[in-house]
Amino acid sequence: MSKKLCKLVKDDILDKDMKEYMKFVSDGKYVCKKCGRVANKEENLCSAKKLKSKDE
Ligand SMILES: [Zn+2]
């Protein structure tokens, strides 16, 4: 089961496990349209939208 970053942040992952949080946001490629979070995997956000990159 994939964890949602949006929920983890609400559950205080920043206080509990900063390293785990970093794994989600490093090299972020998607932004959540609802929460404004950024993650590198679409599945980790509740309403993901792909960020534009220089390559596209
Ligand atoms: Zn979200």
Side-chain angles (χ1 to χ4, degrees):
M1 202 182 88
S2 67
K3 288 182 256 181
K4 292 267 191 283
L5 178 64
C6 302
K7 184 176 186 312
L8 290 171
V9 171
K10 278 180 202 158
D11 291 344
D12 297 325
I13 191 176
L14 285 165
D15 285 333
K16 291 176 193 163
D17 198 346
M18 190 64 179
K19 275 188 187 169
E20 180 76 6
Y21 177 79
M22 302 269 235
K23 281 194 246 168
F24 286 101
V25 300
S26 64
D27 196 25
K29 293 186 174 63
Y30 296 89
V31 61
C32 180
K33 287 188 279 184
K34 278 188 188 165
C35 321
R37 314 278 179 213
V38 174
N40 51 30
K41 285 184 187 164
E42 188 173 9
E43 66 200 39
N44 295 137
L45 298 169
C46 62
S47 187
K49 180 171 173 55
K50 200 171 192 301
L51 286 169
K52 284 182 182 166
S53 74
K54 289 174 194 166
D55 312 326
E56 290 169 42

